[in-house]
Amino acid sequence: RKEVEQDPGPFNVPEGATVAFNCTYSNSASQSFFWYRQDCRKEPKLLMSVYSSGNEDGRFTAQLNRASQYISLLIRDSKLSDSATYLCVVTGGFKTIFGAGTRLFVKA
Amino acid sequence: EAQVTQNPRYLITVTGKKLTVTCSQNMNHEYMSWYRQDPGLGLRQIYYSMNVEVTDKGDVPEGYKVSRKEKRNFPLILESPSPNQTSLYFCASGAGGGFPGGYTFGSGTRLTVV
């Protein structure tokens, strides 16, 4: 079993749709959680950190469920510019594990 | 501007010819790390460094070396590159303590070994 698993997609959604991504992790001692966005073969960029209390940044909402060991990302009112690969990232100590990413295509 | 700078951006080399990919950050970050990204496998950690002169292996360290003689620099060395090291490489840096700000990545180095 991979340490961090994501549905690879692709997710094809129309503009304005709401889309949700899930990510599961296997190490219960994991400490920090993030969602990154990566455009085609460019460097990943931090989208948001993920906390147990949940956090929201505009159209994006992230949730962490430690008991079930999963992380979610919700994107509301999808824009064409949201088309990218979304990476789930889990850290424990100094080790960092990236999910393989979920590809999102938003179409007009 | 806060950034992580990698060089070169693109490199084609031959099997066995030693090469170094440089990485430098200007954010005074303690933590630096190297990743490789391959289709379907995502980013995999090669080596990381918690501070000057402190480094440790990630998940795929075979065939790579690193050094951390200064806080800002973290070069990746391939002593004898092989075709299976053809990949997209990223350097990243972060503050300590659970990396509350996440990582900052360099723009990547696309390496081809023929």
Side-chain angles (χ1 to χ4, degrees):
Chain A
R1 181 188 172 191
K2 291 182 180 178
E3 292 187 70
V4 176
E5 293 205 62
Q6 293 182 249
D7 182 342
F11 284 54
N12 293 288
V13 303
E15 271 189 297
T18 296
V19 61
F21 304 139
N22 289 322
C23 168
T24 59
Y25 61 95
S26 61
N27 186 351
S28 59
S30 298
Q31 297 167 312
S32 300
F33 309 88
F34 306 94
W35 282 102
Y36 277 73
R37 171 195 169 125
Q38 186 176 26
D39 294 289
C40 189
R41 303 303 266 176
K42 293 191 175 180
E43 73 271 25
K45 293 188 177 177
L46 179 66
L47 183 64
M48 55 200 309
S49 303
V50 189
Y51 306 111
S52 296
S53 55
N55 49 308
E56 186 173 314
D57 183 2
R59 298 181 293 107
F60 299 85
T61 301
Q63 291 275 356
L64 165 64
N65 185 319
R66 284 191 181 269
S68 301
Q69 295 180 207
Y70 81 81
I71 305 150
S72 64
L73 177 67
L74 184 74
I75 305 175
R76 290 181 299 277
D77 189 23
S78 299
K79 311 291 186 193
L80 294 175
S81 57
D82 293 335
S83 296
T85 297
Y86 291 83
L87 306 173
C88 172
V89 182
V90 175
T91 69
F94 293 103
K95 287 204 70 177
T96 304
I97 308 294
F98 283 74
T102 299
R103 191 75 175 91
L104 172 66
F105 293 97
V106 181
K107 299 185 183 299
Chain B
E1 181 189 351
Q3 58 185 3
V4 176
T5 303
Q6 280 180 243
N7 281 296
R9 292 291 307 275
Y10 302 92
L11 179 59
I12 300 174
T13 190
V14 295
T15 299
K17 185 176 181 181
K18 181 179 178 179
L19 67 91
T20 299
V21 184
T22 63
C23 175
S24 180
Q25 51 97 0
N26 63 0
M27 295 164 281
N28 202 37
H29 284 162
E30 293 178 345
Y31 182 90
M32 297 185 75
S33 185
W34 276 102
Y35 300 87
R36 61 177 289 172
Q37 186 172 32
D38 302 289
L41 296 177
L43 282 95
R44 293 179 292 167
Q45 194 169 34
I46 303 171
Y47 270 95
Y48 59 93
S49 169
M50 296 77 82
N51 214 323
V52 175
E53 302 291 2
V54 183
T55 64
D56 206 349
K57 297 177 181 178
D59 292 320
V60 288
E62 294 77 21
Y64 304 95
K65 284 176 59 177
V66 293
S67 68
R68 186 91 182 271
K69 292 182 169 50
E70 306 165 281
K71 199 170 189 178
R72 63 183 292 124
N73 295 323
F74 191 44
L76 179 69
I77 302 157
L78 285 73
E79 295 269 2
S80 183
S82 62
N84 65 12
Q85 292 179 298
T86 293
S87 188
L88 178 59
Y89 291 87
F90 289 106
C91 178
S93 73
F99 318 114
Y103 302 112
T104 300
F105 282 82
S107 298
T109 296
R110 190 175 296 278
L111 172 66
T112 302
V113 183
V114 298

